[in-house]
Amino acid sequence: MKQKFAIFDIDKTIIHTDSMFQFLKYGIRKKPASSPVILNVVLRSLLYKLRLMEAEKAKSVYFHAMRHLEDSDLKHFYEMELKPAIYRNAMKEMQDKKSKGYHVLLVTASPDAYMRYFAELPYVDKVIATKLSVQNGRFTSMIEGNNCKGEEKVHRIQQYLSEQQLTIDYESSCAYSDSLSDLPMLGLVKHKFLINHKSAHGCEGLRWNR
């Protein structure tokens, strides 16, 4: 079935912050003895930028606290750090699109461990995120499969469409991101928007404020 879609990135698009950095700080607050992990974060980030380390391995260090946290902690992180960071413009845009019959889909490179809670918003239909492995009923810091970024976002969206037996109504659909790395995802729809970014590559620039 052909369906109108409104597709949103989350970090710096729906929320005004980077959830990975927020989670890193949250984990250190929960377990102060783990603060030396910051040195590992800096090292792995540098190796990734130098193309000496894969994204999945570099990112995993940000989630070192996962093995110490219960689902209730992850929900608390979402409620206290992420939900309050939603741009008012983003909330209005998602509400408007939902009221007009769009399928509102959020697609993020950040982990499902805490991003899944965005699906509790009444105007969000589905959240697709990077998957973390689970051991003994708890999330670990290790990424399962591929980092949900760039072309992988398109792959994951297409997988979801197949499961739901849906196709994107290209002419009527829209997508939003703060990053040019999401151009493959933006290419799935006709109406493309870059948040707090200059117009580029056929995308219209939008200014969203806190």
Side-chain angles (χ1 to χ4, degrees), residues 22-30 69 73 76-77 81:
Q22 292 301 110
F23 185 79
L24 178 64
K25 292 188 290 184
Y26 182 80
I28 291 173
R29 289 200 303 270
K30 280 283 187 178
L69 303 180
D73 296 311
H76 180 262
F77 170 67
E81 302 289 342

Side-chain angles (χ1 to χ4, degrees), residues 15 37 41 51 56 80 96 112 122 132 144 146 148 152 185 201:
I15 60 176
V37 75
V41 168
R51 299 184 179 182
E56 290 79 4
M80 300 304 295
D96 178 67
D112 55 350
L132 297 183
E144 186 176 282
N146 295 322
C148 189
E152 181 63 18
M185 180 180 79
H201 300 272

Side-chain angles (χ1 to χ4, degrees), residues 39-87:
L39 296 176
N40 201 8
V41 168
V42 173
L43 175 60
R44 291 197 187 192
S45 297
L46 177 61
L47 290 174
Y48 170 68
K49 288 183 178 181
L50 293 174
R51 299 184 179 182
L52 298 174
M53 180 177 286
E54 294 180 350
E56 290 79 4
K57 189 171 182 180
K59 283 179 66 172
S60 67
V61 70
Y62 285 86
F63 314 129
H64 73 285
M66 283 292 177
R67 64 185 183 277
H68 304 297
L69 303 180
E70 304 282 354
D71 280 353
S72 59
D73 296 311
L74 297 171
K75 180 68 176 293
H76 180 262
F77 170 67
Y78 163 77
E79 292 286 352
M80 300 304 295
E81 302 289 342
L82 302 186
K83 192 174 180 181
I86 297 175
Y87 282 119

Side-chain angles (χ1 to χ4, degrees), residues 149-162:
K149 186 175 181 178
E151 291 289 351
E152 181 63 18
K153 285 192 176 184
V154 175
H155 173 72
R156 296 283 299 278
I157 291 169
Q158 291 173 337
Q159 185 178 43
Y160 175 70
L161 293 173
S162 177

Side-chain angles (χ1 to χ4, degrees), residues 91-122:
M91 186 180 297
K92 290 178 181 178
E93 191 73 7
M94 290 187 289
Q95 290 172 333
D96 178 67
K97 290 295 183 285
K98 183 64 177 175
S99 70
K100 292 177 179 177
Y102 285 74
H103 193 93
V104 178
L105 180 63
L106 312 189
V107 190
T108 175
S110 291
D112 55 350
Y114 54 76
M115 285 302 193
R116 56 187 165 144
Y117 296 111
F118 277 97
E120 295 182 358
L121 296 172

